[in-house]
Amino acid sequence: MIERTSPEALREQHAAYVFANVATYYDEPLVLVRGEGATVWDADGRSYLDAFGGILTVLLGHAHPAVTERVKAQVERLVHTSTLYVNEPMVTLSARLAEVTPGALKRSFFTNSGTEANETALLVARLYTGREAVLALRHSYHGRSALTLSAGGQGAYKAGGSLPGVYHLASPYCYRCPFGLTYPACDLRCAKDAEEVILTAAGGEVAAFIAEPFQGVGGFITPPPEYFKEVVAIVRRYGGIFIADEVQTGWGRTGRYLWGIEHWDVVPEVMTSAKGMANGFPIGWTIATEEVAAAFTKATISTFGGNPVSTAAALAVLDVVKAENLPENAERVGEALQDGLRALQDLYPAIGDVRGKGLMVGVELVHGGKRPAPDLLRRWMEAARKRGLLIGKGGLYGNVARIAPPITIGRSEAEEIVRILKAAMEDVMPYWERDA
């Protein structure tokens, strides 16, 4: 019998031996030991409705039987090959992905994480165009390598500074428009400003524009419907290509479609994903058109990329998403969730904005005058945890609740999320401040 370490001892060891800047939630970090569906249990036996899914990663819920069975069968057969050899799950997955992705995307390269997927995408864009300049968005997050951190638009993550050749556009953040305008009277100023950035900062040419269809770490920022068509057209006019970062938004998460970018009717030359792709097993994925992929001529490998276990898990995810019509479920349940949260917005002035698509919903907390309220979010998260609900946080100011449960949940779980958040908000409102 395995002797288990107490939760208190584990927290002490975590504090002593893990990098001190590794983020954890809650005043007393949770020690999770088990998960099933949308529920997780901590080491003290308490259960929680998981409305964050390991940062939008447990797409189908914890220990989904279809994924578990596919993984168990693969582990018993073959665990590792590297990209130096061909393995069946990786090749089968590559073919399936070419069928279900937008436009002419065809050639896949597998890695271990969203960071590596985006690094690969930026590299191949520079090789294809022969140019250096990369455009990205403020408030964005694309990974934790030197280049992807440079592309990210979050100062809190800028460890070691930024590499040259990356330029940041204004984010399509309508709730806090950087130009002080209001959509649609703004005439998409945030998108049209891309041309001036290219002409001034980037020297008149560009390799790529990388963007999340809905910004994840940025606080589920949702652009105007016409935004991507406008900005991508500008980028292509100056010789660049478009990289859609679907690390958080893919696999039906945003409802109706398999991919978040499909909401905006734009087809990328390169697309990336990770997180929910394998329901928690480590994987990263870059897919490009035949022409773009052909520009990557130097030899390359990924020791763990295309791992047969992770790609088997991804195949199971694809099968379940399709068989159970989960993008439609995410749209239907997500609408109910947002309706419930907007009802709370009408009741509580601390809720400044509710936004998102499908089961990717952000709730921005503010004091009077739209002042960011990270203090209120910390209290809200703690109050929700005490009532059995786990949510995430994000936003440049750390004041946006990120609600992203497994896309398999039903209306009853969405109603439970709203019920708990309403009760938790009662604990928060005594700390809300009116305009100074």
Side-chain angles (χ1 to χ4, degrees), residues 370-384:
K370 291 173 64 170
R371 287 174 292 134
D375 57 317
L376 297 186
L377 179 58
R378 182 184 62 79
R379 293 179 185 278
W380 204 27
M381 292 178 67
E382 286 286 352

Side-chain angles (χ1 to χ4, degrees), residues 21 25 31 37 67 143 211 227 253 273 278 284 313 367 377 427 435:
N21 63 329
Y25 283 167
V31 178
V67 178
Y227 171 80
R253 161 66 61 188
S273 198
H367 290 294
L377 179 58
D427 292 354
D435 292 335

Side-chain angles (χ1 to χ4, degrees), residues 129-409:
T129 62
R131 296 171 175 178
E132 180 79 9
V134 169
L135 301 184
L137 292 175
R138 298 171 197 168
H139 300 264
S140 64
Y141 183 83
H142 298 291
R144 55 177 303 280
S145 65
L147 181 55
T148 56
L149 280 173
S150 300
Q154 293 269 345
Y157 290 95
K158 293 283 189 180
S162 292
L163 297 176
V166 179
Y167 308 93
H168 288 89
L169 309 180
S171 178
Y173 190 178
C174 292
Y175 183 67
R176 297 186 183 278
C177 175
F179 301 102
L181 302 173
T182 302
Y183 176 80
C186 63
D187 195 31
L188 293 178
R189 172 74 180 278
C190 57
K192 293 179 178 178
D193 191 55
E195 184 161 28
E196 185 165 343
V197 172
I198 293 171
L199 291 173
T200 57
E205 59 181 32
V206 62
F209 169 53
I210 184 170
E212 307 155 272
F214 304 84
Q215 291 185 323
V217 174
F220 294 177
I221 294 171
T222 302
E226 310 91 344
Y227 171 80
F228 273 100
K229 276 191 173 182
E230 183 76 26
V231 73
V232 170
I234 293 170
V235 168
R236 287 175 175 158
R237 193 156 64 241
Y238 288 92
I241 64 173
F242 173 43
I243 301 168
D245 177 349
E246 296 265 7
V247 169
Q248 295 193 30
T249 57
W251 316 103
R253 161 66 61 188
T254 59
R256 186 178 300 186
Y257 306 111
L258 194 59
W259 311 108
I261 198 61
E262 292 182 279
H263 290 282
W264 311 133
D265 196 24
V266 173
V267 177
E269 286 87 357
V270 183
M271 195 165 77
T272 64
S273 198
K275 290 191 183 294
M277 180 175 186
N279 207 52
F281 286 86
I283 195 168
W285 164 59
T286 307
I287 188 169
T289 65
E290 186 86 59
E291 185 180 17
V292 172
F296 197 170
T297 58
K298 295 289 186 179
T300 190
I301 62 168
S302 178
T303 301
F304 295 102
N307 177 276
V309 177
S310 292
T311 50
L315 283 166
V317 168
L318 265 178
D319 287 344
V320 173
V321 168
K322 180 179 179 181
E324 299 184 9
N325 295 317
L326 292 181
E328 291 83 357
N329 183 70
E331 180 177 40
R332 183 174 58 254
V333 178
E335 287 176 353
L337 177 61
Q338 288 203 45
D339 287 346
L341 292 169
R342 289 198 173 96
L344 298 189
Q345 184 181 13
D346 292 338
L347 294 174
Y348 300 107
I351 298 178
D353 193 29
V354 176
R355 55 180 178 256
K357 283 277 190 184
L359 286 170
M360 186 176 183
V361 184
V363 181
E364 181 158 355
L365 298 193
V366 295
H367 290 294
K370 291 173 64 170
R371 287 174 292 134
D375 57 317
L376 297 186
L377 179 58
R378 182 184 62 79
R379 293 179 185 278
W380 204 27
M381 292 178 67
E382 286 286 352
R385 178 193 63 79
K386 291 175 183 176
R387 291 170 169 83
L389 175 67
L390 306 183
I391 59 175
K393 69 176 178 179
L396 182 65
Y397 310 104
N399 67 319
V400 182
R402 294 201 283 163
I403 303 168
I407 66 171
T408 51
I409 70 163

